Structures are given as C-alpha cells and as structure tokens.
Amino acid sequence: MKKYLIQFKPFLIFISTFFAAYILLTMVYKFYLNTFETNDVDGITSVVGKNVLQLMNAFNCDIKIFKSLSDSWLEVWYNKKYVIRIVEGCNAVSVIILFISFVLAFSGKLKTTILFIVFGILFIYILNVVRIALLAVLLFHVPEQQHMLHGVLFPLVIYGAVFILWIIWVNKFSKYAK
C-alpha cells in the first residue's frame, strides 16, 4: 500500500488540493448567497448586470436592465424587448471557483500563482460580461437559436477559455511546467 501511495503521491496531492479548494470556496460562496433574501439579487450578479449595461451603453445600444419585481433575477431589455434574464448562475462565480481550484492544485511559486489567479478571474469576468451582452443582442435577432447560443456556444466559449488558461498555467507557470 505504501508503494502505491508513493507512486501516486502527485496525483493524490492534486486531487486532495483541488477538492479541498473547490469545497472551501463553494461553501464560502454559498454562505455569501445565504446573506440575501429569497427574492433579492446577490451583489455579484448585480455588478455583472451593471457592467453589461455599461458595455452595451458604450456601443450606444438601446438597453435597459431591471430587477425582476417577482423573482431574484435581472431582466435585460434590448430594443424595448425582453430578451434574457441574468440569474445568480450567470455571474461566472462557479466557473471562477473551478478555475482557482485547478490552479491551486497545480500551484507554482506563490507570487506567480496569485497573479495568475487574479488575471484569470478578471479575464473570466470580462469574458462573461461580453458573453451576456452578445447573448442579449443575438437572442433579439435570432430568438429561435436560444438553445444553441445559451446552451452550447457560449458555455463552450467560457469553459474553452478556462481550459486554455489551465493549459497555459500547467505548461508555463506551475511547478510541473518543466
């Protein structure tokens, strides 16, 4: 048994670090979400909505974003038509938690790890804001493609970007890079 523990030590360290970070960050995030009332929009999702509004206003789009009167989401109105809603799951926090957990599991030097995590969080966040803005415009023009756009294309883009960040991390910066 000891032989196998020694043989698989790097893998076991990776798995235990990944799951420990993932569980801890998820618990912290769930605790944060529990501080909001049932029909309130959490602060992170509200900021995402504001950033989508700012981005689309920068392109002179006819965009309005309102808190739903009856539920915990933001309604996005594009050209005076309700096109999408921004719910808690749209704020990319779960993707960011996954990203951070992986980077920590393949950690490198402390400063490099922290800088890469900060850069990655900013990149994922900005990509997510752009994703929501593009989704609003595209669903206004081709609403029949909702499943393809929301369910396939945009998750592929955001998870694909995270995967590329992971590849860069492992090959360039982690302790396993050489």
Side-chain angles (χ1 to χ4, degrees):
M1 180 70 165
K2 184 177 180 182
K3 177 179 108 177
Y4 291 114
L5 288 175
I6 292 170
Q7 182 181 357
F8 295 111
K9 182 180 177 184
F11 174 74
L12 295 172
I13 290 172
F14 167 80
I15 289 292
S16 59
T17 305
F18 175 85
F19 281 114
Y22 186 81
I23 290 167
L24 177 67
L25 291 170
T26 300
M27 287 173 52
V28 168
Y29 182 56
K30 293 299 178 191
F31 177 76
Y32 163 78
L33 289 176
N34 288 337
T35 63
F36 293 90
E37 297 296 322
T38 305
N39 282 340
D40 283 345
V41 176
D42 70 274
I44 297 171
T45 303
S46 293
V47 171
V48 168
K50 287 176 186 170
N51 292 149
V52 169
L53 181 66
Q54 291 168 335
L55 175 63
M56 294 186 77
N57 280 335
F59 290 96
N60 295 319
C61 294
D62 179 13
I63 183 81
K64 303 284 186 231
I65 300 180
F66 304 105
K67 160 63 176 94
S68 169
L69 297 176
S70 61
D71 229 318
S72 60
W73 60 63
L74 302 171
E75 296 178 357
V76 179
W77 292 73
Y78 179 70
N79 289 337
K80 298 176 182 43
K81 180 182 175 193
Y82 175 63
V83 287
I84 60 172
R85 63 182 180 208
I86 303 174
V87 299
E88 176 271 323
C90 298
N91 64 20
V93 172
S94 60
V95 176
I96 290 169
I97 288 172
L98 194 64
F99 167 76
I100 292 170
S101 300
F102 184 89
V103 171
L104 290 176
F106 268 115
S107 64
K109 295 177 183 170
L110 180 62
K111 182 179 177 182
T112 307
T113 302
I114 291 169
L115 286 174
F116 195 82
I117 286 173
V118 169
F119 163 78
I121 290 170
L122 289 172
F123 178 75
I124 293 165
Y125 182 85
I126 291 167
L127 182 63
N128 187 56
V129 168
V130 171
R131 173 190 77 95
I132 294 169
L134 286 173
L135 190 59
V137 173
L138 289 171
L139 287 179
F140 175 80
H141 293 289
V142 285
E144 66 277 3
Q145 295 298 321
Q146 178 180 355
H147 173 70
M148 177 59 80
L149 293 169
H150 183 266
V152 178
L153 182 62
F154 284 106
L156 181 65
V157 168
I158 200 152
Y159 284 108
V162 170
F163 184 71
I164 290 168
L165 287 174
W166 286 343
I167 289 172
I168 292 168
W169 174 252
V170 170
N171 289 320
K172 300 280 185 193
F173 303 109
S174 78
K175 61 186 169 193
Y176 301 102
K178 298 173 181 163

